[in-house]
Amino acid sequence: MQMLHRRRFNTGMVGFLDCLKQLMDHAKSQDPSIQFPDYCIINNDRIGEHSIKLQVSFGSGDETWTRALKSVLRALKGLLLYATR
């Protein structure tokens, strides 16, 4: 992937994480009993311990990105459970 496209993709993914964090915060404010696991805590470009940004290097960067996406899916699952109550 070209560097410019990668930067735009990373910016979009960080924006998506920000939206997800806002949704999670809203759900927590509406229902304090909702608890998201530690691996779903969002801080800037990181969810849990893993960065959502694509890395330039191959190998462990791909594994980290995959784990970050898995955490995103778990957070979305928690929001889905909240929405269907």
Side-chain angles (χ1 to χ4, degrees), residues 17-70:
L17 270 187
D18 183 46
C19 291
L20 182 60
K21 182 176 184 345
Q22 290 178 31
L23 279 172
M24 291 168 64
D25 290 343
H26 175 74
K28 286 180 192 177
S29 71
Q30 296 297 311
D31 185 359
S33 67
I34 294 176
Q35 294 295 324
F36 291 98
D38 289 342
Y39 53 77
C40 291
I41 295 174
I42 298 172
N43 187 11
N44 295 328
D45 68 330
R46 303 182 80 73
I47 181 163
E49 306 174 348
H50 309 291
S51 176
I52 197 75
K53 291 182 177 181
L54 280 175
Q55 304 298 319
V56 176
S57 64
F58 295 99
S60 65
D62 292 339
E63 185 176 322
T64 299
W65 189 70
T66 303
R67 287 183 180 166
L69 291 181
K70 187 175 181 180

Side-chain angles (χ1 to χ4, degrees), residues 5-15 52-54:
H5 294 295
R6 183 181 304 258
R7 191 173 338 143
R8 288 182 182 167
F9 181 80
N10 285 341
T11 301
M13 291 302 289
V14 170
I52 197 75
K53 291 182 177 181
L54 280 175

